[in-house]
Amino acid sequence: MKRLSLLLLGLFLMGGAAHAQKPFRDGDVFSRGDVVLNLGVGLGNMVYNDNYTKKVPPISLSGEYAVTGNLFNNGRGVVGLGGYIGYTGAKYRAFDNLDAGWNFNNLIVGVRGALHYQFVNRLDTYVGLFLGYNISMTGDYGSFPSELKPAAPSVGGFEFAFYVGARYYLSQRFAVFGEVGYGLSAVNLGVAYKF
């Protein structure tokens, strides 16, 4: 987690340095043909509740391509489509008096589509839909007495979610972003890079 935080801080600082080198032009936040990659960390885990321990914070990587542009009368609307991959994990202790339980790892993959609208300079705001699949990998740990060994809980399956987000561009290429919605976490924060 510490390394990921340092990486996000480094990207943030690089974006600030790039901002100082090249002036930002109004209307450049997200236009037809642009590709943006987001690297985020979730705050709060919506997959695992407080009964789980040793949780890995939700980490996500998403990409988006602006397929259309110049929507609405003022031309500030854009539709973007892309992919998403996210990971989180946790440990669940089955019994209070026995060191045995399950390790869970969740990999969520899917597609996203969003409608973007630029209200102010440098700020790309959007609302979107996600459709994907939660791949759950479960393994037990410890020694279960044979008469007590229950089946591992079943998790995973299809996922459908709404989300709202914003990217604030520090330069022509680097941005910080935040998203709120149902998924691995209720809040996702991170950095973005536009190609």
PDB file of all heavy atoms in Angstrom, residues 59-90:
ATOM      1  N   ILE A  59      -7.960  -1.850  -5.699  1.00  0.00           N
ATOM      2  CA  ILE A  59      -7.065  -1.184  -6.650  1.00  0.00           C
ATOM      3  C   ILE A  59      -7.684  -1.373  -8.030  1.00  0.00           C
ATOM      4  O   ILE A  59      -8.136  -2.463  -8.367  1.00  0.00           O
ATOM      5  CB  ILE A  59      -5.663  -1.806  -6.604  1.00  0.00           C
ATOM      6  CG1 ILE A  59      -5.068  -1.668  -5.208  1.00  0.00           C
ATOM      7  CG2 ILE A  59      -4.749  -1.157  -7.635  1.00  0.00           C
ATOM      8  CD1 ILE A  59      -3.845  -2.517  -4.984  1.00  0.00           C
ATOM      9  N   SER A  60      -7.687  -0.300  -8.842  1.00  0.00           N
ATOM     10  CA  SER A  60      -8.312  -0.415 -10.158  1.00  0.00           C
ATOM     11  C   SER A  60      -7.490   0.271 -11.232  1.00  0.00           C
ATOM     12  O   SER A  60      -6.766   1.225 -10.973  1.00  0.00           O
ATOM     13  CB  SER A  60      -9.721   0.170 -10.138  1.00  0.00           C
ATOM     14  OG  SER A  60      -9.664   1.561  -9.886  1.00  0.00           O
ATOM     15  N   LEU A  61      -7.629  -0.243 -12.437  1.00  0.00           N
ATOM     16  CA  LEU A  61      -7.048   0.343 -13.638  1.00  0.00           C
ATOM     17  C   LEU A  61      -8.157   0.370 -14.678  1.00  0.00           C
ATOM     18  O   LEU A  61      -8.807  -0.647 -14.924  1.00  0.00           O
ATOM     19  CB  LEU A  61      -5.864  -0.481 -14.142  1.00  0.00           C
ATOM     20  CG  LEU A  61      -5.208  -0.007 -15.434  1.00  0.00           C
ATOM     21  CD1 LEU A  61      -4.524   1.336 -15.231  1.00  0.00           C
ATOM     22  CD2 LEU A  61      -4.196  -1.035 -15.920  1.00  0.00           C
ATOM     23  N   SER A  62      -8.398   1.535 -15.244  1.00  0.00           N
ATOM     24  CA  SER A  62      -9.429   1.629 -16.278  1.00  0.00           C
ATOM     25  C   SER A  62      -8.910   2.490 -17.420  1.00  0.00           C
ATOM     26  O   SER A  62      -8.042   3.341 -17.232  1.00  0.00           O
ATOM     27  CB  SER A  62     -10.731   2.215 -15.719  1.00  0.00           C
ATOM     28  OG  SER A  62     -10.532   3.524 -15.228  1.00  0.00           O
ATOM     29  N   GLY A  63      -9.431   2.233 -18.588  1.00  0.00           N
ATOM     30  CA  GLY A  63      -9.093   3.014 -19.763  1.00  0.00           C
ATOM     31  C   GLY A  63     -10.367   3.445 -20.465  1.00  0.00           C
ATOM     32  O   GLY A  63     -11.387   2.749 -20.409  1.00  0.00           O
ATOM     33  N   GLU A  64     -10.302   4.591 -21.117  1.00  0.00           N
ATOM     34  CA  GLU A  64     -11.497   5.115 -21.779  1.00  0.00           C
ATOM     35  C   GLU A  64     -11.110   5.811 -23.081  1.00  0.00           C
ATOM     36  O   GLU A  64     -10.118   6.541 -23.140  1.00  0.00           O
ATOM     37  CB  GLU A  64     -12.202   6.089 -20.841  1.00  0.00           C
ATOM     38  CG  GLU A  64     -13.525   6.579 -21.353  1.00  0.00           C
ATOM     39  CD  GLU A  64     -14.251   7.421 -20.324  1.00  0.00           C
ATOM     40  OE1 GLU A  64     -13.603   7.964 -19.407  1.00  0.00           O
ATOM     41  OE2 GLU A  64     -15.472   7.553 -20.459  1.00  0.00           O
ATOM     42  N   TYR A  65     -11.905   5.576 -24.103  1.00  0.00           N
ATOM     43  CA  TYR A  65     -11.703   6.182 -25.420  1.00  0.00           C
ATOM     44  C   TYR A  65     -12.914   7.062 -25.723  1.00  0.00           C
ATOM     45  O   TYR A  65     -14.059   6.616 -25.598  1.00  0.00           O
ATOM     46  CB  TYR A  65     -11.558   5.092 -26.481  1.00  0.00           C
ATOM     47  CG  TYR A  65     -11.504   5.616 -27.891  1.00  0.00           C
ATOM     48  CD1 TYR A  65     -10.368   6.270 -28.359  1.00  0.00           C
ATOM     49  CD2 TYR A  65     -12.590   5.460 -28.747  1.00  0.00           C
ATOM     50  CE1 TYR A  65     -10.325   6.750 -29.663  1.00  0.00           C
ATOM     51  CE2 TYR A  65     -12.547   5.934 -30.048  1.00  0.00           C
ATOM     52  CZ  TYR A  65     -11.408   6.580 -30.496  1.00  0.00           C
ATOM     53  OH  TYR A  65     -11.349   7.075 -31.784  1.00  0.00           O
ATOM     54  N   ALA A  66     -12.671   8.303 -26.125  1.00  0.00           N
ATOM     55  CA  ALA A  66     -13.762   9.234 -26.465  1.00  0.00           C
ATOM     56  C   ALA A  66     -14.248   8.918 -27.876  1.00  0.00           C
ATOM     57  O   ALA A  66     -13.580   9.235 -28.854  1.00  0.00           O
ATOM     58  CB  ALA A  66     -13.275  10.679 -26.372  1.00  0.00           C
ATOM     59  N   VAL A  67     -15.413   8.267 -27.979  1.00  0.00           N
ATOM     60  CA  VAL A  67     -15.921   7.821 -29.283  1.00  0.00           C
ATOM     61  C   VAL A  67     -16.691   8.903 -30.021  1.00  0.00           C
ATOM     62  O   VAL A  67     -16.748   8.889 -31.250  1.00  0.00           O
ATOM     63  CB  VAL A  67     -16.790   6.546 -29.153  1.00  0.00           C
ATOM     64  CG1 VAL A  67     -15.962   5.373 -28.701  1.00  0.00           C
ATOM     65  CG2 VAL A  67     -17.958   6.764 -28.213  1.00  0.00           C
ATOM     66  N   THR A  68     -17.296   9.805 -29.309  1.00  0.00           N
ATOM     67  CA  THR A  68     -18.012  10.914 -29.948  1.00  0.00           C
ATOM     68  C   THR A  68     -17.653  12.208 -29.239  1.00  0.00           C
ATOM     69  O   THR A  68     -17.159  12.198 -28.107  1.00  0.00           O
ATOM     70  CB  THR A  68     -19.546  10.753 -29.872  1.00  0.00           C
ATOM     71  OG1 THR A  68     -19.945  10.828 -28.506  1.00  0.00           O
ATOM     72  CG2 THR A  68     -20.013   9.466 -30.489  1.00  0.00           C
ATOM     73  N   GLY A  69     -17.906  13.310 -29.878  1.00  0.00           N
ATOM     74  CA  GLY A  69     -17.636  14.604 -29.260  1.00  0.00           C
ATOM     75  C   GLY A  69     -18.617  15.634 -29.754  1.00  0.00           C
ATOM     76  O   GLY A  69     -19.502  15.350 -30.559  1.00  0.00           O
ATOM     77  N   ASN A  70     -18.479  16.848 -29.248  1.00  0.00           N
ATOM     78  CA  ASN A  70     -19.308  17.975 -29.659  1.00  0.00           C
ATOM     79  C   ASN A  70     -20.800  17.730 -29.479  1.00  0.00           C
ATOM     80  O   ASN A  70     -21.602  18.114 -30.325  1.00  0.00           O
ATOM     81  CB  ASN A  70     -18.998  18.370 -31.108  1.00  0.00           C
ATOM     82  CG  ASN A  70     -17.561  18.788 -31.278  1.00  0.00           C
ATOM     83  OD1 ASN A  70     -16.999  19.474 -30.435  1.00  0.00           O
ATOM     84  ND2 ASN A  70     -16.943  18.354 -32.364  1.00  0.00           N
ATOM     85  N   LEU A  71     -21.161  17.061 -28.390  1.00  0.00           N
ATOM     86  CA  LEU A  71     -22.579  16.839 -28.100  1.00  0.00           C
ATOM     87  C   LEU A  71     -23.174  18.072 -27.452  1.00  0.00           C
ATOM     88  O   LEU A  71     -22.470  18.873 -26.837  1.00  0.00           O
ATOM     89  CB  LEU A  71     -22.751  15.644 -27.168  1.00  0.00           C
ATOM     90  CG  LEU A  71     -22.254  14.293 -27.694  1.00  0.00           C
ATOM     91  CD1 LEU A  71     -22.434  13.229 -26.626  1.00  0.00           C
ATOM     92  CD2 LEU A  71     -23.000  13.901 -28.955  1.00  0.00           C
ATOM     93  N   PHE A  72     -24.448  18.229 -27.545  1.00  0.00           N
ATOM     94  CA  PHE A  72     -25.212  19.348 -27.006  1.00  0.00           C
ATOM     95  C   PHE A  72     -24.914  20.617 -27.806  1.00  0.00           C
ATOM     96  O   PHE A  72     -24.020  20.651 -28.633  1.00  0.00           O
ATOM     97  CB  PHE A  72     -24.957  19.545 -25.506  1.00  0.00           C
ATOM     98  CG  PHE A  72     -25.112  18.281 -24.707  1.00  0.00           C
ATOM     99  CD1 PHE A  72     -24.026  17.715 -24.056  1.00  0.00           C
ATOM    100  CD2 PHE A  72     -26.321  17.633 -24.628  1.00  0.00           C
ATOM    101  CE1 PHE A  72     -24.154  16.543 -23.337  1.00  0.00           C
ATOM    102  CE2 PHE A  72     -26.464  16.460 -23.916  1.00  0.00           C
ATOM    103  CZ  PHE A  72     -25.382  15.916 -23.268  1.00  0.00           C
ATOM    104  N   ASN A  73     -25.652  21.654 -27.565  1.00  0.00           N
ATOM    105  CA  ASN A  73     -25.531  22.889 -28.340  1.00  0.00           C
ATOM    106  C   ASN A  73     -24.170  23.564 -28.212  1.00  0.00           C
ATOM    107  O   ASN A  73     -23.682  24.166 -29.144  1.00  0.00           O
ATOM    108  CB  ASN A  73     -26.633  23.885 -27.946  1.00  0.00           C
ATOM    109  CG  ASN A  73     -27.989  23.433 -28.429  1.00  0.00           C
ATOM    110  OD1 ASN A  73     -28.078  22.664 -29.375  1.00  0.00           O
ATOM    111  ND2 ASN A  73     -29.035  23.899 -27.774  1.00  0.00           N
ATOM    112  N   ASN A  74     -23.571  23.455 -27.024  1.00  0.00           N
ATOM    113  CA  ASN A  74     -22.290  24.121 -26.827  1.00  0.00           C
ATOM    114  C   ASN A  74     -21.089  23.237 -27.160  1.00  0.00           C
ATOM    115  O   ASN A  74     -19.948  23.656 -27.033  1.00  0.00           O
ATOM    116  CB  ASN A  74     -22.168  24.634 -25.387  1.00  0.00           C
ATOM    117  CG  ASN A  74     -22.307  23.522 -24.372  1.00  0.00           C
ATOM    118  OD1 ASN A  74     -22.284  22.342 -24.712  1.00  0.00           O
ATOM    119  ND2 ASN A  74     -22.448  23.893 -23.119  1.00  0.00           N
ATOM    120  N   GLY A  75     -21.313  21.979 -27.549  1.00  0.00           N
ATOM    121  CA  GLY A  75     -20.233  21.086 -27.957  1.00  0.00           C
ATOM    122  C   GLY A  75     -19.380  20.541 -26.827  1.00  0.00           C
ATOM    123  O   GLY A  75     -18.329  19.966 -27.073  1.00  0.00           O
ATOM    124  N   ARG A  76     -19.812  20.661 -25.580  1.00  0.00           N
ATOM    125  CA  ARG A  76     -18.991  20.225 -24.453  1.00  0.00           C
ATOM    126  C   ARG A  76     -19.277  18.797 -23.993  1.00  0.00           C
ATOM    127  O   ARG A  76     -18.710  18.335 -23.017  1.00  0.00           O
ATOM    128  CB  ARG A  76     -19.169  21.164 -23.270  1.00  0.00           C
ATOM    129  CG  ARG A  76     -18.565  22.514 -23.516  1.00  0.00           C
ATOM    130  CD  ARG A  76     -18.651  23.361 -22.287  1.00  0.00           C
ATOM    131  NE  ARG A  76     -17.904  24.596 -22.468  1.00  0.00           N
ATOM    132  CZ  ARG A  76     -17.476  25.332 -21.482  1.00  0.00           C
ATOM    133  NH1 ARG A  76     -17.715  24.987 -20.247  1.00  0.00           N
ATOM    134  NH2 ARG A  76     -16.809  26.435 -21.729  1.00  0.00           N
ATOM    135  N   GLY A  77     -20.145  18.086 -24.670  1.00  0.00           N
ATOM    136  CA  GLY A  77     -20.470  16.721 -24.285  1.00  0.00           C
ATOM    137  C   GLY A  77     -19.678  15.702 -25.077  1.00  0.00           C
ATOM    138  O   GLY A  77     -19.416  15.876 -26.261  1.00  0.00           O
ATOM    139  N   VAL A  78     -19.290  14.615 -24.413  1.00  0.00           N
ATOM    140  CA  VAL A  78     -18.507  13.540 -25.028  1.00  0.00           C
ATOM    141  C   VAL A  78     -18.997  12.210 -24.471  1.00  0.00           C
ATOM    142  O   VAL A  78     -19.316  12.105 -23.287  1.00  0.00           O
ATOM    143  CB  VAL A  78     -16.997  13.703 -24.711  1.00  0.00           C
ATOM    144  CG1 VAL A  78     -16.189  12.553 -25.261  1.00  0.00           C
ATOM    145  CG2 VAL A  78     -16.469  15.021 -25.241  1.00  0.00           C
ATOM    146  N   VAL A  79     -19.022  11.174 -25.315  1.00  0.00           N
ATOM    147  CA  VAL A  79     -19.315   9.815 -24.850  1.00  0.00           C
ATOM    148  C   VAL A  79     -18.022   9.023 -24.907  1.00  0.00           C
ATOM    149  O   VAL A  79     -17.329   9.016 -25.927  1.00  0.00           O
ATOM    150  CB  VAL A  79     -20.394   9.138 -25.714  1.00  0.00           C
ATOM    151  CG1 VAL A  79     -20.537   7.669 -25.345  1.00  0.00           C
ATOM    152  CG2 VAL A  79     -21.721   9.855 -25.558  1.00  0.00           C
ATOM    153  N   GLY A  80     -17.699   8.364 -23.796  1.00  0.00           N
ATOM    154  CA  GLY A  80     -16.495   7.544 -23.724  1.00  0.00           C
ATOM    155  C   GLY A  80     -16.831   6.099 -23.419  1.00  0.00           C
ATOM    156  O   GLY A  80     -17.764   5.814 -22.669  1.00  0.00           O
ATOM    157  N   LEU A  81     -16.079   5.174 -24.017  1.00  0.00           N
ATOM    158  CA  LEU A  81     -16.223   3.742 -23.762  1.00  0.00           C
ATOM    159  C   LEU A  81     -14.861   3.166 -23.405  1.00  0.00           C
ATOM    160  O   LEU A  81     -13.837   3.619 -23.924  1.00  0.00           O
ATOM    161  CB  LEU A  81     -16.764   3.019 -24.994  1.00  0.00           C
ATOM    162  CG  LEU A  81     -18.162   3.390 -25.461  1.00  0.00           C
ATOM    163  CD1 LEU A  81     -18.486   2.674 -26.763  1.00  0.00           C
ATOM    164  CD2 LEU A  81     -19.191   3.033 -24.395  1.00  0.00           C
ATOM    165  N   GLY A  82     -14.863   2.156 -22.536  1.00  0.00           N
ATOM    166  CA  GLY A  82     -13.583   1.573 -22.176  1.00  0.00           C
ATOM    167  C   GLY A  82     -13.715   0.341 -21.314  1.00  0.00           C
ATOM    168  O   GLY A  82     -14.798  -0.198 -21.111  1.00  0.00           O
ATOM    169  N   GLY A  83     -12.569  -0.096 -20.794  1.00  0.00           N
ATOM    170  CA  GLY A  83     -12.497  -1.292 -19.970  1.00  0.00           C
ATOM    171  C   GLY A  83     -12.074  -0.976 -18.547  1.00  0.00           C
ATOM    172  O   GLY A  83     -11.573   0.111 -18.247  1.00  0.00           O
ATOM    173  N   TYR A  84     -12.284  -1.953 -17.678  1.00  0.00           N
ATOM    174  CA  TYR A  84     -11.995  -1.795 -16.259  1.00  0.00           C
ATOM    175  C   TYR A  84     -11.485  -3.115 -15.708  1.00  0.00           C
ATOM    176  O   TYR A  84     -11.985  -4.188 -16.062  1.00  0.00           O
ATOM    177  CB  TYR A  84     -13.284  -1.388 -15.526  1.00  0.00           C
ATOM    178  CG  TYR A  84     -13.166  -1.349 -14.026  1.00  0.00           C
ATOM    179  CD1 TYR A  84     -12.832  -0.167 -13.375  1.00  0.00           C
ATOM    180  CD2 TYR A  84     -13.392  -2.480 -13.258  1.00  0.00           C
ATOM    181  CE1 TYR A  84     -12.736  -0.120 -11.989  1.00  0.00           C
ATOM    182  CE2 TYR A  84     -13.295  -2.445 -11.876  1.00  0.00           C
ATOM    183  CZ  TYR A  84     -12.964  -1.274 -11.240  1.00  0.00           C
ATOM    184  OH  TYR A  84     -12.862  -1.230  -9.882  1.00  0.00           O
ATOM    185  N   ILE A  85     -10.478  -3.038 -14.835  1.00  0.00           N
ATOM    186  CA  ILE A  85     -10.025  -4.203 -14.084  1.00  0.00           C
ATOM    187  C   ILE A  85      -9.738  -3.744 -12.663  1.00  0.00           C
ATOM    188  O   ILE A  85      -9.116  -2.697 -12.453  1.00  0.00           O
ATOM    189  CB  ILE A  85      -8.802  -4.887 -14.737  1.00  0.00           C
ATOM    190  CG1 ILE A  85      -8.432  -6.158 -13.986  1.00  0.00           C
ATOM    191  CG2 ILE A  85      -7.627  -3.939 -14.838  1.00  0.00           C
ATOM    192  CD1 ILE A  85      -7.470  -7.044 -14.736  1.00  0.00           C
ATOM    193  N   GLY A  86     -10.234  -4.488 -11.694  1.00  0.00           N
ATOM    194  CA  GLY A  86     -10.044  -4.117 -10.296  1.00  0.00           C
ATOM    195  C   GLY A  86      -9.750  -5.350  -9.463  1.00  0.00           C
ATOM    196  O   GLY A  86     -10.137  -6.466  -9.810  1.00  0.00           O
ATOM    197  N   TYR A  87      -9.042  -5.135  -8.348  1.00  0.00           N
ATOM    198  CA  TYR A  87      -8.677  -6.251  -7.472  1.00  0.00           C
ATOM    199  C   TYR A  87      -8.857  -5.858  -6.014  1.00  0.00           C
ATOM    200  O   TYR A  87      -8.566  -4.729  -5.614  1.00  0.00           O
ATOM    201  CB  TYR A  87      -7.212  -6.657  -7.689  1.00  0.00           C
ATOM    202  CG  TYR A  87      -6.737  -7.647  -6.650  1.00  0.00           C
ATOM    203  CD1 TYR A  87      -7.054  -8.994  -6.757  1.00  0.00           C
ATOM    204  CD2 TYR A  87      -6.032  -7.223  -5.534  1.00  0.00           C
ATOM    205  CE1 TYR A  87      -6.657  -9.902  -5.790  1.00  0.00           C
ATOM    206  CE2 TYR A  87      -5.636  -8.122  -4.559  1.00  0.00           C
ATOM    207  CZ  TYR A  87      -5.950  -9.455  -4.680  1.00  0.00           C
ATOM    208  OH  TYR A  87      -5.570 -10.346  -3.716  1.00  0.00           O
ATOM    209  N   THR A  88      -9.320  -6.801  -5.212  1.00  0.00           N
ATOM    210  CA  THR A  88      -9.345  -6.676  -3.764  1.00  0.00           C
ATOM    211  C   THR A  88      -9.310  -8.080  -3.177  1.00  0.00           C
ATOM    212  O   THR A  88      -9.605  -9.062  -3.855  1.00  0.00           O
ATOM    213  CB  THR A  88     -10.576  -5.899  -3.257  1.00  0.00           C
ATOM    214  OG1 THR A  88     -10.429  -5.630  -1.867  1.00  0.00           O
ATOM    215  CG2 THR A  88     -11.870  -6.650  -3.486  1.00  0.00           C
ATOM    216  N   GLY A  89      -8.925  -8.176  -1.926  1.00  0.00           N
ATOM    217  CA  GLY A  89      -8.852  -9.481  -1.274  1.00  0.00           C
ATOM    218  C   GLY A  89      -9.022  -9.338   0.226  1.00  0.00           C
ATOM    219  O   GLY A  89      -8.913  -8.246   0.783  1.00  0.00           O
ATOM    220  N   ALA A  90      -9.270 -10.471   0.897  1.00  0.00           N
ATOM    221  CA  ALA A  90      -9.449 -10.457   2.346  1.00  0.00           C
ATOM    222  C   ALA A  90      -9.328 -11.873   2.888  1.00  0.00           C
ATOM    223  O   ALA A  90      -9.321 -12.848   2.141  1.00  0.00           O
ATOM    224  CB  ALA A  90     -10.806  -9.870   2.721  1.00  0.00           C
TER     225      ALA A  90
END
